[in-house]
Structures are given as C-alpha cells and as structure tokens.
Amino acid sequence: VTPTIMPGKPKKGKETATPVQSIDSGVYIFPNGERYDGECKVGKDGHVERNGTGTHHSGDGTCYSGQWEHDLMTGNGEMKFPSGAVYQGSFELNQYHGTGTYTWPDGSQFSGGVVHNRFEGRGEYIDSSGRVWTGIFDGKVTNGLRLKLS
C-alpha cells in the first residue's frame, strides 16, 4: 500500500551516511483514510516506512503515538482506543512487549511485564474500586495474587 505523501522537513542530525535512505517527516494519508504524522525513511525503491517518532490514526479511532522502526511500532509509545482504554509502555514488532501500563475505561489498571500482548511476570492490578493486587501474572492466569494493604 503506497500512501499519499505530503512532504515535511528533513530532521536535522538524522541524515544517514548511506545515500539510499533519508529520514524525513511529513503527513501521510493512506488510501483507506488512515493518517500518519511523523518521521519516515525512504528507501531507494521509493517505499516509505514509518521510522523514528510519529502518530498513526487508524480508521476505527485507535491512535498510536510513539517510536517506529521499519514500519512497525517498536520502542516506547502510547496506544489509545475508542473505548477509552489506553496502553502506555514498550512495544516490539507491533505488540505490547516489555513493561507497560494498560488502563481500562472503568479506571482499573495493570502495570508490569508484558510479553507478546500478554501480562507476564510480576505486576500490579488496581481494580475499579481502587484495591491494589500484586503478584505474578501468566497471561489470563493470576494464581497467587495478594491484596496490598495500605
């Protein structure tokens, strides 16, 4: 899919030694109406990849703002959903991966390890009543969670 390119300005200090690629910024409107505003890399074949920092607005109202590498959400970022849910944290290859915080529309929240979009390892869950639960998470299984007393 080749986006419509609205040129921006080259970022100072972002030039590469290889003449094949350059880092630019701009606004890109995709044929499906989605929009990307941020840094990109243009290869010798003219293919544009999101690369660097930018914001992508999807047609369904989802918005990702953060780091990109080779057209994939990779690095730190924030994803907001039309439901009001928000994920802030690490991404790798378009997935939540590393550490992060996921907040549901009712205000409940998970903070901790995330592996390939699953809550994994030590974490903390705050329910919608404000109670804090800590323990080891394994995807949807949360054996051994403990209520943290104030």
Side-chain angles (χ1 to χ4, degrees):
V1 176
T2 305
T4 302
I5 302 171
M6 299 173 70
K9 299 176 185 172
K11 294 287 183 177
K12 294 186 185 222
K14 298 273 182 162
E15 293 82 14
T16 62
T18 309
V20 174
Q21 300 174 341
S22 66
I23 302 292
D24 292 314
S25 67
V27 176
Y28 304 87
I29 309 296
F30 294 85
N32 65 0
E34 294 186 359
R35 173 188 168 112
Y36 174 75
D37 185 356
E39 296 174 319
C40 66
K41 177 172 66 174
V42 182
K44 69 179 178 180
D45 63 355
H47 177 77
V48 177
E49 289 183 348
R50 292 166 287 193
N51 202 72
T53 302
T55 301
H56 184 99
H57 298 272
S58 297
D60 68 358
T62 302
C63 178
Y64 170 79
S65 187
Q67 296 173 316
W68 295 84
E69 188 175 313
H70 302 294
D71 225 22
L72 300 170
M73 296 177 289
T74 299
N76 290 316
E78 177 180 77
M79 185 170 282
K80 295 181 179 180
F81 298 92
S83 67
V86 177
Y87 172 80
Q88 294 176 304
S90 300
F91 287 80
E92 184 177 294
L93 306 175
N94 283 346
Q95 294 185 333
Y96 311 146
H97 192 80
T99 58
T101 300
Y102 188 97
T103 306
W104 283 268
D106 68 359
S108 58
Q109 183 178 86
F110 168 84
S111 293
V114 186
V115 177
H116 304 295
N117 289 340
R118 296 169 46 108
F119 304 140
E120 297 283 344
R122 183 152 305 281
E124 180 176 275
Y125 174 76
I126 302 171
D127 65 28
S128 60
S129 298
R131 291 181 297 255
V132 180
W133 301 84
T134 61
I136 304 296
F137 290 76
D138 183 14
K140 294 181 181 179
V141 179
T142 55
N143 293 330
L145 283 185
R146 296 175 188 236
L147 180 62
K148 187 175 179 181
L149 301 174
S150 305

